[in-house]
Amino acid sequence: GDHVELDGRLGLRARRAALRLLLRDAPGGLLHAALGVNGTGGIALRLDGEGPFQDWPVTIAAEISDAATLDGNATLDLDGGPRLALQADLVPGPAWTAATGLPDGEVRIDGQGFWGDDALHVTRLDLHSQAADISGNATWDFAADVLEAGLQARSVDLARHLPAGIETGPAEASALLRLDPSGLRASARIALRDWRLHGHDLPSAAADVALDMPPGLDRWQARADIKASTPTLPGGLDA
């Protein structure tokens, strides 16, 4: 039940390209097996684009079984880098939460990146959803075998994804990661303000977490520092 169609034209003298790709994988097909997807819907991908090398537009439409659909547009600069700018909307399907463990809700994706000097640079990746806004960037230097990434997140509405009795306020998180021949190092900070837990005020709370793993990633060392202020508990708590 797998089906692929590909049509393309490459004009080197005119510096223009055209592409049409259609892919369909029926339930139980090769992509379903590779992705571990077991759904009643198929996996489909369509790419269409025609334009000059320096500003090549591509339309993207994808369906991942019962998990999600994605529609977006990308612009590629094949002469300089190459470079890519992407805007897309991810719409979860009925199997989204069960397959990913993530909350339901449409996600808007905006990203930019380029390839140069034997390195892949994701200069900006923004994810906007009902629960949170997330921004990140990353550089993967293949020559030096080094991956560096950063992430920042700000809550929008977490209450609908948390148990009853938790009244949410602002929440922010940031993280840094570096993977190189000497091992993996990661750090993260999470901060909450003006939350209320089952009738108890939580004016502020913060957690700093660090993780170190040597080459081979077979051992690890973690450290966590947590500070919270909960004045409505008996006697209060400030640790």
Side-chain angles (χ1 to χ4, degrees):
D2 294 348
H3 179 76
V4 178
E5 293 182 21
L6 174 63
D7 294 314
R9 297 190 304 277
L10 187 64
L12 297 178
R13 181 174 298 178
R15 311 298 291 172
R16 292 183 65 87
L19 170 72
R20 184 177 68 91
L21 171 66
L22 299 174
L23 181 149
R24 175 75 180 180
D25 185 70
L30 295 175
L31 288 179
H32 282 74
L35 297 175
V37 175
N38 295 312
T40 58
I43 294 177
L45 173 66
R46 181 186 180 100
L47 300 177
D48 284 290
E50 182 173 1
F53 281 5
Q54 70 272 19
D55 189 21
W56 187 37
V58 179
T59 300
I60 306 166
E63 177 184 352
I64 306 173
S65 191
D66 302 330
T69 60
L70 183 143
D71 291 285
N73 297 281
T75 302
L76 290 90
D77 180 356
L78 301 178
D79 281 335
R83 294 179 176 272
L84 169 69
L86 170 69
Q87 300 84 39
D89 291 305
L90 176 70
V91 180
W96 170 259
T97 300
T100 66
L102 299 174
D104 200 356
E106 184 175 329
V107 180
R108 174 70 176 178
I109 304 170
D110 292 286
Q112 294 181 358
F114 68 95
W115 170 269
D117 299 326
D118 293 325
L120 175 64
H121 304 270
V122 180
T123 54
R124 182 175 63 85
L125 179 62
D126 297 334
L127 306 178
H128 306 279
S129 70
Q130 295 177 348
D133 290 333
I134 301 174
S135 299
N137 59 76
T139 298
W140 193 347
D141 189 328
F142 291 90
D145 196 20
V146 174
L147 170 64
E148 293 183 303
L151 178 147
Q152 300 82 40
R154 180 180 60 84
S155 69
V156 176
D157 180 13
L158 294 175
R160 61 193 295 263
H161 306 294
L162 296 175
I166 300 179
E167 300 176 28
T168 62
E172 296 181 351
S174 60
L176 295 174
L177 179 145
R178 179 182 173 90
L179 177 63
D180 57 34
S182 66
L184 169 70
R185 289 173 298 282
S187 62
R189 178 175 178 82
I190 301 172
L192 309 178
R193 293 198 327 272
D194 300 327
W195 283 48
R196 189 172 175 83
L197 310 178
H198 300 285
H200 297 293
D201 291 330
L202 181 64
S204 65
D208 293 285
V209 181
L211 175 67
D212 291 290
M213 302 182 73
L217 307 182
D218 54 351
R219 303 188 313 277
W220 59 272
Q221 178 179 351
R223 183 184 71 256
D225 299 307
I226 301 173
K227 183 176 179 65
S229 175
T230 56
T232 61
L233 284 178
L237 173 65
D238 194 355

